[in-house]
Amino acid sequence: MTGFHQSPPVLANQYRDDALLRSYLRSAAPAGVLAEIEPQLDALGERAAGEWLALAEQAEAQPPRLVSYDAWGHRIDRIETSDAWRTFERIAATEGFVARGYERAYGAFSRVDQFARLYLFAPSSATYSCPLAMSDGAARCLELLASDDRQRAALRHLTSRDPAQFWTAGQWMTERTGGSDVSGTSTVAKRDGSQFRLYGTKWFTSATTSQMALTLARPEGADSGSRGLSLFYLELRDDAGLPRAMRVLRLKDKLGTRALPTAEIELDGTPAWMVGGEGHGVRKIATVLTITRVYNALAAVAGMRRAIALARDYARRRTAFGRPLSEQPLHLETLAAMQVELAGCFLLVFREIELLGLTELGMATERQELVLRLLTPVAKLYTGKRAPAMASEAIEAFGGAGYIEDTGLPRLLRDAQVLSIWEGTTNVLSLDVWRAIEAEPQTIDAWCDEVHRQLDGAAAGDLARSAARVRDATRTLADASRRLAGGDTPDREAAARRFAFAIARVTGGALLVAHAHRCRSMPIGVRLADAARRWTSSELVPSLDTDADHRAASRRLGLEVD
């Protein structure tokens, strides 16, 4: 009897195999820079398909464990992680995954260089990109606001390439009242000489084995609501490795990101130091959130790319109904749709990264800074929704094998699902888009300029129709923005998600058209033009009508009430 066994997918070098990434860097890198960094990226691409992937499997197989007491009954609250997880910390330090953003060896392009490396690392890191995100955010916050030698020393640790000196950071905002509405933060800060003591519970703290954290707390006597909150710096453990007046109540049992230690912590007099003076804590921690939201979007597109790489390789190996899947028209339609979605999302995220690099060095115009403020929530919310959808599609492409845990494929979906939740849910960020517009009325005009600038030069030839569709959609959105801004708040809120998605779709379309035009002489040029046409032929701007009748119908449907 002859048996049949399916062949598993195999990852190739993740830099050489990614024509989109390579074409982007070829068009975006300053003269001479690509020749310098490409051999390094090639080496990282090999490690992503081999060494790092094996470490990720080990880290997932040995999730964190909380040891509350030692053998003699002393409370130690030690979180034990796998050797593989600790190895990722050493890799992150030596590769300078955070440091590169602050060494700025390539000027404003340094952020692109840094995130291109993280794009290769993230899907093979067992979510080690999460502590790196918070560390990078903390570094930027302290770079701007550090007010004493302790905080400046922490910045040096966060940006070190020496594994013995490198620190990671936590970002503690979520309490029992929830993460997005921080106005109810109940952690109290009591002054104790030159420092403070924190009292309260942080309900969800990721990367809880980090050496430091930034957190929000309310100084005694401060105003209620978000206005009275201040930002604090703390170090988790003393020289003996024991918690500094804090207790780890439990580790969270999560759907995914299982190698990542996430805990519930009680602060009971934890020493802390105020960052940047009293008050305006939410505004100060927004500096951290800008960075972590970029990382979240980067992790989303990196996960999408990994899902496609696996599904595409499998399509060439798997035979059904007498033909490989790669020769079956309907399966090809599915793979093509996945690639188009990745291409638009990838370019959206890396445009955001370009603007971040320019802004940090004071090289961005005021209007570019407005575009960055707008695209930060837009890129995060849009890619955060597309990543789990892409992972689900990839799992389906494997049939029953995709549903089997020991293939490793279900982890694609489990780990992607958090990306629409971390750093602000889709609805919260949709409302944040409107906060950006209301705070600076020129935001939409600046965004329109950005779209039109991307389309300049691509108005003729085979991309003319695509460019015209994007221009029309831009005008439609600009008109809708003015109409909603002058209307009732409930109408604006009801339309906020559709509006934010439309900003993402139109921006992605403009970037795809522009990139296809720039790369028209490259071998990938035809494929990029195909992607631009398909992206722009789909709906870019849905109906944004949300009058009282519409909202009444939504209430009846959503709550099943008459």
Side-chain angles (χ1 to χ4, degrees), residues 267-287:
L267 307 176
D268 188 21
T270 307
W273 293 264
M274 193 174 281
V275 178
E278 186 165 354
H280 306 293
V282 175
R283 187 174 68 193
K284 292 167 188 169
I285 209 167
T287 301

PDB file of all heavy atoms in Angstrom, residues 267-287:
ATOM      1  N   LEU A 267       1.338  47.399  42.718  1.00  0.00           N
ATOM      2  CA  LEU A 267       2.373  48.309  43.199  1.00  0.00           C
ATOM      3  C   LEU A 267       2.044  48.696  44.644  1.00  0.00           C
ATOM      4  O   LEU A 267       0.956  49.182  44.926  1.00  0.00           O
ATOM      5  CB  LEU A 267       2.423  49.558  42.314  1.00  0.00           C
ATOM      6  CG  LEU A 267       2.563  49.311  40.808  1.00  0.00           C
ATOM      7  CD1 LEU A 267       2.504  50.625  40.046  1.00  0.00           C
ATOM      8  CD2 LEU A 267       3.838  48.552  40.497  1.00  0.00           C
ATOM      9  N   ASP A 268       2.991  48.473  45.538  1.00  0.00           N
ATOM     10  CA  ASP A 268       2.747  48.713  46.956  1.00  0.00           C
ATOM     11  C   ASP A 268       3.893  49.531  47.541  1.00  0.00           C
ATOM     12  O   ASP A 268       4.699  49.054  48.328  1.00  0.00           O
ATOM     13  CB  ASP A 268       2.604  47.376  47.690  1.00  0.00           C
ATOM     14  CG  ASP A 268       2.153  47.559  49.136  1.00  0.00           C
ATOM     15  OD1 ASP A 268       1.584  48.628  49.454  1.00  0.00           O
ATOM     16  OD2 ASP A 268       2.385  46.646  49.939  1.00  0.00           O
ATOM     17  N   GLY A 269       3.976  50.798  47.083  1.00  0.00           N
ATOM     18  CA  GLY A 269       5.064  51.657  47.517  1.00  0.00           C
ATOM     19  C   GLY A 269       6.270  51.580  46.605  1.00  0.00           C
ATOM     20  O   GLY A 269       7.405  51.859  47.037  1.00  0.00           O
ATOM     21  N   THR A 270       6.058  51.215  45.345  1.00  0.00           N
ATOM     22  CA  THR A 270       7.152  51.086  44.386  1.00  0.00           C
ATOM     23  C   THR A 270       7.823  52.440  44.158  1.00  0.00           C
ATOM     24  O   THR A 270       7.151  53.420  43.817  1.00  0.00           O
ATOM     25  CB  THR A 270       6.619  50.557  43.041  1.00  0.00           C
ATOM     26  OG1 THR A 270       5.864  49.360  43.274  1.00  0.00           O
ATOM     27  CG2 THR A 270       7.762  50.274  42.081  1.00  0.00           C
ATOM     28  N   PRO A 271       9.139  52.537  44.331  1.00  0.00           N
ATOM     29  CA  PRO A 271       9.809  53.826  44.094  1.00  0.00           C
ATOM     30  C   PRO A 271       9.756  54.192  42.614  1.00  0.00           C
ATOM     31  O   PRO A 271       9.941  53.348  41.736  1.00  0.00           O
ATOM     32  CB  PRO A 271      11.246  53.579  44.566  1.00  0.00           C
ATOM     33  CG  PRO A 271      11.418  52.098  44.554  1.00  0.00           C
ATOM     34  CD  PRO A 271      10.079  51.504  44.815  1.00  0.00           C
ATOM     35  N   ALA A 272       9.501  55.482  42.350  1.00  0.00           N
ATOM     36  CA  ALA A 272       9.374  55.953  40.972  1.00  0.00           C
ATOM     37  C   ALA A 272       9.797  57.416  40.909  1.00  0.00           C
ATOM     38  O   ALA A 272       9.796  58.126  41.915  1.00  0.00           O
ATOM     39  CB  ALA A 272       7.937  55.779  40.481  1.00  0.00           C
ATOM     40  N   TRP A 273      10.140  57.851  39.706  1.00  0.00           N
ATOM     41  CA  TRP A 273      10.602  59.222  39.494  1.00  0.00           C
ATOM     42  C   TRP A 273       9.776  59.850  38.386  1.00  0.00           C
ATOM     43  O   TRP A 273       9.545  59.255  37.337  1.00  0.00           O
ATOM     44  CB  TRP A 273      12.089  59.222  39.125  1.00  0.00           C
ATOM     45  CG  TRP A 273      12.945  58.763  40.269  1.00  0.00           C
ATOM     46  CD1 TRP A 273      13.588  59.539  41.170  1.00  0.00           C
ATOM     47  CD2 TRP A 273      13.213  57.397  40.646  1.00  0.00           C
ATOM     48  NE1 TRP A 273      14.251  58.767  42.092  1.00  0.00           N
ATOM     49  CE2 TRP A 273      14.039  57.441  41.796  1.00  0.00           C
ATOM     50  CE3 TRP A 273      12.842  56.148  40.138  1.00  0.00           C
ATOM     51  CZ2 TRP A 273      14.496  56.289  42.431  1.00  0.00           C
ATOM     52  CZ3 TRP A 273      13.288  55.005  40.771  1.00  0.00           C
ATOM     53  CH2 TRP A 273      14.110  55.081  41.901  1.00  0.00           C
ATOM     54  N   MET A 274       9.339  61.062  38.630  1.00  0.00           N
ATOM     55  CA  MET A 274       8.494  61.755  37.662  1.00  0.00           C
ATOM     56  C   MET A 274       9.305  62.109  36.411  1.00  0.00           C
ATOM     57  O   MET A 274      10.464  62.505  36.497  1.00  0.00           O
ATOM     58  CB  MET A 274       7.915  63.015  38.306  1.00  0.00           C
ATOM     59  CG  MET A 274       6.797  63.665  37.536  1.00  0.00           C
ATOM     60  SD  MET A 274       6.077  65.053  38.476  1.00  0.00           S
ATOM     61  CE  MET A 274       5.031  64.178  39.639  1.00  0.00           C
ATOM     62  N   VAL A 275       8.679  61.973  35.270  1.00  0.00           N
ATOM     63  CA  VAL A 275       9.321  62.275  33.991  1.00  0.00           C
ATOM     64  C   VAL A 275       8.733  63.569  33.439  1.00  0.00           C
ATOM     65  O   VAL A 275       7.527  63.672  33.207  1.00  0.00           O
ATOM     66  CB  VAL A 275       9.102  61.136  32.973  1.00  0.00           C
ATOM     67  CG1 VAL A 275       9.740  61.504  31.621  1.00  0.00           C
ATOM     68  CG2 VAL A 275       9.665  59.829  33.495  1.00  0.00           C
ATOM     69  N   GLY A 276       9.599  64.575  33.260  1.00  0.00           N
ATOM     70  CA  GLY A 276       9.173  65.797  32.600  1.00  0.00           C
ATOM     71  C   GLY A 276       8.281  66.710  33.406  1.00  0.00           C
ATOM     72  O   GLY A 276       7.556  67.522  32.827  1.00  0.00           O
ATOM     73  N   GLY A 277       8.299  66.606  34.717  1.00  0.00           N
ATOM     74  CA  GLY A 277       7.483  67.489  35.541  1.00  0.00           C
ATOM     75  C   GLY A 277       6.070  66.963  35.750  1.00  0.00           C
ATOM     76  O   GLY A 277       5.637  66.005  35.110  1.00  0.00           O
ATOM     77  N   GLU A 278       5.350  67.632  36.651  1.00  0.00           N
ATOM     78  CA  GLU A 278       4.019  67.150  37.037  1.00  0.00           C
ATOM     79  C   GLU A 278       2.976  67.484  35.974  1.00  0.00           C
ATOM     80  O   GLU A 278       3.015  68.531  35.340  1.00  0.00           O
ATOM     81  CB  GLU A 278       3.600  67.758  38.379  1.00  0.00           C
ATOM     82  CG  GLU A 278       2.290  67.192  38.911  1.00  0.00           C
ATOM     83  CD  GLU A 278       2.046  67.513  40.381  1.00  0.00           C
ATOM     84  OE1 GLU A 278       2.957  68.080  41.024  1.00  0.00           O
ATOM     85  OE2 GLU A 278       0.955  67.199  40.882  1.00  0.00           O
ATOM     86  N   GLY A 279       2.012  66.564  35.822  1.00  0.00           N
ATOM     87  CA  GLY A 279       0.885  66.775  34.935  1.00  0.00           C
ATOM     88  C   GLY A 279       1.177  66.406  33.488  1.00  0.00           C
ATOM     89  O   GLY A 279       2.293  66.054  33.118  1.00  0.00           O
ATOM     90  N   HIS A 280       0.135  66.447  32.677  1.00  0.00           N
ATOM     91  CA  HIS A 280       0.230  66.171  31.232  1.00  0.00           C
ATOM     92  C   HIS A 280       0.807  64.788  30.954  1.00  0.00           C
ATOM     93  O   HIS A 280       1.478  64.581  29.934  1.00  0.00           O
ATOM     94  CB  HIS A 280       1.071  67.240  30.530  1.00  0.00           C
ATOM     95  CG  HIS A 280       0.607  68.637  30.776  1.00  0.00           C
ATOM     96  ND1 HIS A 280      -0.606  69.117  30.311  1.00  0.00           N
ATOM     97  CD2 HIS A 280       1.183  69.658  31.465  1.00  0.00           C
ATOM     98  CE1 HIS A 280      -0.752  70.371  30.677  1.00  0.00           C
ATOM     99  NE2 HIS A 280       0.307  70.735  31.391  1.00  0.00           N
ATOM    100  N   GLY A 281       0.527  63.826  31.833  1.00  0.00           N
ATOM    101  CA  GLY A 281       1.090  62.493  31.664  1.00  0.00           C
ATOM    102  C   GLY A 281       0.630  61.805  30.397  1.00  0.00           C
ATOM    103  O   GLY A 281       1.417  61.102  29.749  1.00  0.00           O
ATOM    104  N   VAL A 282      -0.631  62.016  30.032  1.00  0.00           N
ATOM    105  CA  VAL A 282      -1.151  61.365  28.831  1.00  0.00           C
ATOM    106  C   VAL A 282      -0.441  61.911  27.595  1.00  0.00           C
ATOM    107  O   VAL A 282      -0.067  61.158  26.687  1.00  0.00           O
ATOM    108  CB  VAL A 282      -2.675  61.557  28.728  1.00  0.00           C
ATOM    109  CG1 VAL A 282      -3.204  60.999  27.419  1.00  0.00           C
ATOM    110  CG2 VAL A 282      -3.381  60.891  29.911  1.00  0.00           C
ATOM    111  N   ARG A 283      -0.248  63.217  27.563  1.00  0.00           N
ATOM    112  CA  ARG A 283       0.452  63.813  26.424  1.00  0.00           C
ATOM    113  C   ARG A 283       1.885  63.303  26.342  1.00  0.00           C
ATOM    114  O   ARG A 283       2.414  63.049  25.246  1.00  0.00           O
ATOM    115  CB  ARG A 283       0.452  65.335  26.555  1.00  0.00           C
ATOM    116  CG  ARG A 283       1.008  66.053  25.327  1.00  0.00           C
ATOM    117  CD  ARG A 283       0.843  67.545  25.461  1.00  0.00           C
ATOM    118  NE  ARG A 283       1.689  68.086  26.523  1.00  0.00           N
ATOM    119  CZ  ARG A 283       1.557  69.303  27.023  1.00  0.00           C
ATOM    120  NH1 ARG A 283       0.589  70.096  26.604  1.00  0.00           N
ATOM    121  NH2 ARG A 283       2.385  69.725  27.971  1.00  0.00           N
ATOM    122  N   LYS A 284       2.537  63.111  27.473  1.00  0.00           N
ATOM    123  CA  LYS A 284       3.922  62.646  27.474  1.00  0.00           C
ATOM    124  C   LYS A 284       4.024  61.190  27.040  1.00  0.00           C
ATOM    125  O   LYS A 284       4.921  60.829  26.266  1.00  0.00           O
ATOM    126  CB  LYS A 284       4.537  62.827  28.861  1.00  0.00           C
ATOM    127  CG  LYS A 284       4.733  64.291  29.253  1.00  0.00           C
ATOM    128  CD  LYS A 284       5.039  64.428  30.729  1.00  0.00           C
ATOM    129  CE  LYS A 284       5.035  65.896  31.153  1.00  0.00           C
ATOM    130  NZ  LYS A 284       5.067  66.040  32.610  1.00  0.00           N
ATOM    131  N   ILE A 285       3.109  60.361  27.513  1.00  0.00           N
ATOM    132  CA  ILE A 285       3.187  58.951  27.128  1.00  0.00           C
ATOM    133  C   ILE A 285       2.727  58.755  25.695  1.00  0.00           C
ATOM    134  O   ILE A 285       2.982  57.705  25.081  1.00  0.00           O
ATOM    135  CB  ILE A 285       2.401  58.058  28.111  1.00  0.00           C
ATOM    136  CG1 ILE A 285       3.034  56.651  28.150  1.00  0.00           C
ATOM    137  CG2 ILE A 285       0.910  57.993  27.747  1.00  0.00           C
ATOM    138  CD1 ILE A 285       2.560  55.786  29.291  1.00  0.00           C
ATOM    139  N   ALA A 286       2.089  59.774  25.113  1.00  0.00           N
ATOM    140  CA  ALA A 286       1.730  59.703  23.697  1.00  0.00           C
ATOM    141  C   ALA A 286       2.975  59.581  22.824  1.00  0.00           C
ATOM    142  O   ALA A 286       2.929  59.001  21.728  1.00  0.00           O
ATOM    143  CB  ALA A 286       0.921  60.934  23.293  1.00  0.00           C
ATOM    144  N   THR A 287       4.103  60.104  23.297  1.00  0.00           N
ATOM    145  CA  THR A 287       5.371  59.933  22.585  1.00  0.00           C
ATOM    146  C   THR A 287       5.722  58.459  22.472  1.00  0.00           C
ATOM    147  O   THR A 287       6.185  57.989  21.426  1.00  0.00           O
ATOM    148  CB  THR A 287       6.498  60.676  23.325  1.00  0.00           C
ATOM    149  OG1 THR A 287       6.165  62.062  23.416  1.00  0.00           O
ATOM    150  CG2 THR A 287       7.825  60.518  22.605  1.00  0.00           C
TER     151      THR A 287
END
